[in-house]
Structure formats: C-alpha cells, structure tokens
Amino acid sequence: MNKTILYFSAPWCGPCKVLGPRMDKLSGLFNIRKINCDVDTEMAAKYSVRSVPTLILLDGDKEINRITGVQSEEQIKAFYRG
C-alpha cells in the first residue's frame, strides 16, 4: 500500500491557516503533498476540488477517501488509516 494525502489549500483560506500546522506536524508520520490551488489549478481540476481545505487520500493513483474542512489531528490519523 502506497498511501499519500493530497492537501489542497490556498494562502487566502482562513481554515487552511488553522489546518496547516497540523498537517506540517503529521508530515513526519504520513506522506503528505501540499497543493496550493491558486498555483496548481490543474491538480485542483483533476481531483475536482471545489473548496479548501480538502484532503484526498490516495493509494497509488487511486482515490480512496476525501474530507473537506478543518480536521483535528486524530481525525486526520483516522482518515489515513481508513
């Protein structure tokens, strides 16, 4: 299993500013790729991201789960574990 969390955010997004430090902390535990929706519009379009923050869990290239909004560390850990 090759899990990655795609973390879609934007600099102007208030909830992203709350979630950002939690995602930074968890990046030592999980493979997390932060994507700025304002810069990487192709990735946002590819995954149909309509609001930020959005977390998308991939297993390889396959999307297996998605959550939107501010999450606690425990919620993110549970999200990753499936």
Side-chain angles (χ1 to χ4, degrees), residues 11-48:
W12 48 264
C13 166
C16 298
K17 292 175 184 173
V18 173
L19 186 59
R22 295 175 193 165
M23 296 304 291
D24 291 342
K25 183 176 179 183
L26 293 171
S27 67
L29 298 173
F30 309 127
N31 184 13
I32 297 172
R33 180 173 170 205
K34 185 175 181 180
I35 300 159
N36 180 335
C37 289
D38 289 345
V39 175
D40 198 342
T41 55
E42 286 182 23
M43 280 292 283
K46 176 181 177 180
Y47 288 98
S48 300

Side-chain angles (χ1 to χ4, degrees), residues 6-80:
L6 301 181
Y7 165 39
F8 289 89
S9 68
W12 48 264
C13 166
C16 298
K17 292 175 184 173
V18 173
L19 186 59
R22 295 175 193 165
M23 296 304 291
D24 291 342
K25 183 176 179 183
L26 293 171
S27 67
L29 298 173
F30 309 127
N31 184 13
I32 297 172
R33 180 173 170 205
K34 185 175 181 180
I35 300 159
N36 180 335
C37 289
D38 289 345
V39 175
D40 198 342
T41 55
E42 286 182 23
M43 280 292 283
K46 176 181 177 180
Y47 288 98
S48 300
V49 173
R50 304 209 190 308
S51 62
V52 287
T54 294
L55 304 180
I56 297 177
L57 184 61
L58 301 180
D59 186 357
D61 289 333
K62 181 182 175 201
E63 180 177 337
I64 54 176
N65 203 355
R66 163 187 306 234
I67 50 176
T68 303
V70 175
Q71 308 295 321
S72 69
E73 284 184 41
E74 289 309 312
Q75 287 171 312
I76 297 164
K77 288 175 184 176
F79 168 74
Y80 186 84

